[in-house]
Amino acid sequence: DSLGQLHMLRGEFTEAQALLERAVSLATEHGNKWYARQALCTLGRCHLGMNAVAEAVKCGNEALALAESIGDRQAQCESCLLLAESYLRTDQVDTCIELLKRVSEEATESAADVGIIGEAERLNGLVALNQDDATLAAQHFGRSLSLFEMLGDRYRSAIASEVLGAAYGRTSPKRP
């Protein structure tokens, strides 16, 4: 799973996919539902990176089912976030919003959930952009950026900074 994630960060999605599929297979063979769910979520994000959204939805649904079967609230939130982003990419905005509502109801103010809340804020910002509300999007992206900076997560901070800049660009008046 970790090696697959490293390949994803390098943009080597084909290599990442092969490693992640193997991780899912091994975890499933050994009955490790928690690890299988983790690898499925990472594989789903890999599919999103490759624009294979239908495959990402499939991974997200499998991951959510596993998370629910083991009763892991945090894993359920992470799986819902994967599904929310997948549905947003297919313009199923209402489904995305419902999943984000579920995450906001289940996530807590604990330190363990800060990353989940930050990711939910980023996705809420993307929903707002999808609905042509750049001001609201900028607010969500700003909160996401603050949370990821607090965690010291440079990668997700950079992503939040990029989308925040895009939202600000839409709110600024056009210059001649």
Side-chain angles (χ1 to χ4, degrees):
D1 179 56
S2 296
L3 188 54
Q5 196 166 17
L6 177 63
H7 280 285
M8 281 175 44
L9 292 172
R10 291 179 174 170
E12 301 164 350
F13 292 105
T14 304
E15 295 86 351
Q17 180 181 356
L19 289 167
L20 292 166
E21 287 172 348
R22 179 155 165 67
V24 170
S25 177
L26 287 172
T28 302
E29 285 174 23
H30 290 77
N32 189 336
K33 291 180 181 181
W34 183 91
Y35 187 71
R37 192 232 42 106
Q38 179 66 36
L40 275 166
C41 270
T42 306
L43 179 59
R45 288 193 308 275
C46 180
H47 285 305
L48 282 178
M50 297 178 349
N51 256 350
V53 180
E55 290 298 315
V57 169
K58 181 181 172 197
C59 288
N61 282 321
E62 288 179 39
L64 182 57
L66 283 172
E68 289 172 342
S69 76
I70 59 177
D72 187 330
R73 180 196 54 78
Q74 192 171 19
Q76 290 174 40
C77 288
E78 291 170 356
S79 301
C80 284
L81 290 170
L82 169 61
L83 284 167
E85 184 162 5
S86 301
Y87 285 121
L88 182 61
R89 294 238 191 132
T90 59
D91 291 323
Q92 296 180 53
V93 179
D94 291 338
T95 304
C96 172
I97 291 170
E98 287 303 314
L99 287 160
L100 291 172
K101 283 181 186 175
R102 177 177 172 179
V103 170
S104 71
E105 291 168 359
E106 293 181 13
T108 66
E109 297 293 322
S110 72
D113 283 355
V114 172
I116 289 170
I117 295 166
E119 189 64 14
E121 287 292 344
R122 183 185 70 82
L123 291 173
N124 277 307
L126 292 175
V127 168
L129 278 182
N130 180 277
Q131 297 172 337
D132 292 323
D133 191 343
T135 302
L136 179 59
Q139 291 173 359
H140 285 296
F141 294 144
R143 285 193 289 266
S144 177
L145 177 59
S146 294
L147 291 168
F148 291 138
E149 284 182 341
M150 182 177 68
L151 289 173
D153 187 329
R154 291 180 181 174
Y155 177 75
R156 292 193 294 180
S157 292
I159 291 171
S161 292
E162 180 183 14
V163 290
L164 178 60
Y168 279 147
R170 289 190 184 183
T171 62
S172 301
K174 302 282 185 220
R175 295 181 187 203

